[in-house]
Amino acid sequence: MANKKSIHGEWSSRFAYILAATGSAVGLGNIWKFPYITGENGGGAFVIVYLACIVAIGIPIMIAESMMGRRGRQSPINTLETLSTEANANKNWHYLGWMGVSAGVLILSYYSVIAGWASAYVFKAIFGGFSSDAIVVKATFDDLLASPIQLVFWHTAFMVATMSVVMRGVNGGLEKAVRFFMPVLFALLVLLVGYAMTTGEAYFKGVRFLFSPDFSEIDSDAVLTAMGHAFFTLGLGMGAIMVYGSYLPKNVSIAKTSLYIAGADTVVALLAGIAIFPLVFANGLEPSAGPGLIFQSLPIAFGNMTGGWLFGILFFVLLVFAALTSAISLIEPLVAWLVENKGFTRTKASIVSGLCTWTLGVSVALSFNVWSGFKIFDKTIFDLLDYLTANLMLPIGGLCIAIFSGWIMHKKHVSAELDLPGFQFKVWGILIRYIAPGAVFLVLLDVIGVI
Ligand code: TRP
């Protein structure tokens, strides 16, 4: 079984896989979410907890999840069924695949709405340019959020774009797009960091905010948010990297590629933080402004700098592409399952899963305006979906993945797949059996108030 290929195709090379998986990892999570949750949770201490979660939980689980995918070679649901048979384990493990597929749909439903904001900003950048006045910039953002028509329109456009890439399958288009856009996005972020340095005192204030920890700012909910974000930003815990792993050629080192991907993802997030917080301080904005943070701070920089018109357009275009390459991985587990188990063509599977996600996304778009008063557990639909998926479903999914690969799968199968030197395999073994599941479990217990 271990040599079987996926029916959906295979990455053309190791590099193609790294690009696709980095494309999945780097997205709105790095550039939109990381800065605003860092701002909401007081800065430096939160960043340290987040980095610790990436190293101790994220990387080991990333290795585990892609390893399971490559061994199972199918959608997460069927992969879990195959692997539990191979390990003589309980078949109920395939429900983990179902939780992942649902998490993917739920995440994409709001991810697409936010990617819609970024798309709207591409057009704002082209046709209006940006103002250098913080008040005008904030009003522009508030106007966008207040308009259900605009939000639904851009959400629809983004979903159509996503599903038309997904239809083409793993090698068509996706690989090529990532190869070009990722380096340009990176260069642009470096340029923005360069601009942030020109803000003088504010630059140091921003960097201090990000890197000098004050642990009194951290409570158990902040730790949960940091841990949940480690899963979110690496794209773990719901089968996305599992399904990408299932398209991975046999001879590629899973551990090494996981390290590259996690490294690139972390660098992009930190660069985004270094670019944004100086602007926040230079313009008297609040770091805790919430989901609108980058939309209220970056345009000011574009409004001020020479060539800002062009850079502004380029930046938001790249942000939309980064979101697109992430969105694809969120829906791929469901599409793969529909093809495998329902006999759908890829096109039909894409349309059906896209429509479900779109419908849910409309309610997210409305939760920013006409339905903003509708709250469950004191959260709007957007807040609720974000909390439910990033803070609960992904960590629980990751916990189960750690347990499955560390305790249920036979060691000989795992080590055949990972092919690591003895010492490294031991280190990973300790992380995946004890450290990662232990940490996730403790944080979850803490949040529900048991400890
Ligand atoms: N990692 C992406 C980001 O940071 C989002 C994403 C893509 C994701 N695939 C995922 C999140 C799977 C959770 C699970 O924007």
Side-chain angles (χ1 to χ4, degrees):
M1 180 219 357
N3 292 320
K4 208 177 82 184
K5 276 195 185 180
S6 165
I7 59 164
H8 310 283
E10 208 170 65
W11 303 112
S12 61
S13 66
R14 178 181 101 115
F15 189 57
Y17 167 75
I18 295 184
L19 285 173
T22 311
S24 157
V26 174
L28 296 172
N30 306 62
I31 294 167
W32 160 74
K33 193 172 181 189
F34 172 72
Y36 94 74
I37 57 176
T38 300
E40 284 179 340
N41 288 287
F46 179 84
V47 174
I48 290 184
V49 178
Y50 153 78
L51 291 175
C53 290
I54 294 280
V55 173
I57 303 173
I59 294 175
I61 292 182
M62 186 167 211
I63 294 173
E65 196 177 327
S66 31
M67 178 274 292
M68 287 167 60
R70 187 167 69 183
R71 191 151 187 93
R73 290 262 181 244
Q74 298 150 78
S75 71
I77 297 167
N78 293 327
T79 284
L80 276 154
E81 206 161 310
T82 307
L83 294 184
S84 46
T85 310
E86 187 182 59
N88 300 318
N90 192 315
K91 279 279 180 34
N92 286 333
W93 277 102
H94 83 277
Y95 288 114
L96 174 57
W98 276 111
M99 184 173 77
V101 165
S102 336
V105 170
L106 296 177
I107 295 175
L108 184 55
S109 73
Y110 68 83
Y111 202 84
S112 168
V113 173
I114 312 294
W117 298 357
S119 318
Y121 269 65
V122 171
F123 285 81
K124 286 190 195 305
I126 295 175
F127 295 112
F130 289 117
S131 165
S132 53
D133 180 345
I135 305 209
V136 178
V137 168
K138 181 167 180 345
T140 308
F141 180 71
D142 291 343
D143 284 349
L144 174 67
L145 253 59
S147 161
I149 302 207
Q150 287 191 54
L151 293 192
V152 171
F153 174 81
W154 291 112
H155 159 59
T156 308
F158 184 80
M159 278 309 301
V160 169
T162 303
M163 300 329 291
S164 46
V165 178
V166 172
M167 265 179 214
R168 284 165 220 262
V170 282
N171 320 74
L174 172 58
E175 282 190 24
K176 286 193 203 85
V178 187
R179 198 175 288 232
F180 174 71
F181 289 113
M182 297 298 274
V184 186
L185 178 67
F186 191 80
L188 216 64
L189 273 177
V190 172
L191 182 120
L192 279 172
V193 169
Y195 178 80
M197 285 180 179
T198 66
T199 60
E201 188 47 37
Y203 176 70
F204 295 105
K205 212 168 156 191
V207 171
R208 227 177 297 128
F209 180 78
L210 262 181
F211 295 111
S212 85
D214 171 2
F215 282 93
S216 67
E217 297 272 352
I218 293 281
D219 57 10
S220 59
D221 235 20
V223 174
L224 177 69
T225 304
M227 183 181 79
H229 188 64
F231 283 99
F232 187 91
T233 191
L234 295 176
L236 302 180
M238 50 68 66
I241 202 75
M242 197 182 290
V243 90
Y244 275 22
S246 75
Y247 309 143
L248 193 54
K250 186 81 195 103
N251 55 1
V252 174
S253 159
I254 286 179
K256 225 188 266 166
T257 46
S258 299
L259 282 177
Y260 293 151
I261 296 159
D265 185 77
T266 307
V267 170
V268 171
L270 294 177
L271 282 178
I274 301 173
I276 284 154
F277 284 108
L279 297 175
V280 169
F281 291 117
N283 294 289
L285 302 171
E286 282 301 322
S288 59
L293 188 66
I294 67 160
F295 296 94
Q296 292 169 14
S297 55
L298 286 179
I300 304 175
F302 297 128
N304 269 321
M305 69 171 85
T306 14
W309 181 73
L310 190 63
F311 289 132
I313 298 172
L314 210 56
F315 177 82
F316 284 107
V317 167
L318 290 167
L319 187 57
V320 173
F321 271 96
L324 190 64
T325 56
S326 298
I328 290 161
S329 79
L330 284 162
I331 202 71
E332 180 67 20
L334 176 58
V335 171
W337 182 80
L338 287 171
V339 172
E340 285 165 14
N341 291 44
K342 297 283 153 200
F344 285 16
T345 59
R346 235 190 128 78
T347 309
K348 184 169 169 199
S350 305
I351 294 172
V352 169
S353 36
L355 275 176
C356 295
T357 314
W358 177 83
T359 310
L360 198 60
V362 170
S363 71
V364 175
L366 299 182
S367 79
F368 289 102
N369 37 66
V370 285
W371 288 354
S372 62
F374 175 71
K375 294 196 173 163
I376 305 171
F377 298 126
D378 208 27
K379 289 183 187 322
T380 63
I381 297 174
F382 163 73
D383 291 331
L384 187 72
L385 283 178
D386 176 40
Y387 192 88
L388 180 72
T389 53
N391 291 12
L392 299 177
M393 291 173 93
L394 298 181
I396 293 170
L399 176 65
C400 295
I401 287 168
I403 293 173
F404 190 83
S405 56
W407 297 93
I408 308 285
M409 286 178 74
H410 294 318
K411 200 171 157 191
K412 63 170 192 281
H413 296 149
V414 175
S415 74
E417 211 56 58
L418 288 183
D419 196 20
L420 282 175
F423 176 70
Q424 293 177 18
F425 187 67
K426 250 200 195 107
V427 172
W428 176 79
I430 292 171
L431 289 167
I432 206 70
R433 286 166 72 104
Y434 304 102
I435 312 283
V440 176
F441 195 62
L442 285 180
V443 174
L444 290 175
L445 283 187
D446 189 24
V447 169
I448 55 176
V450 177
I451 52 172

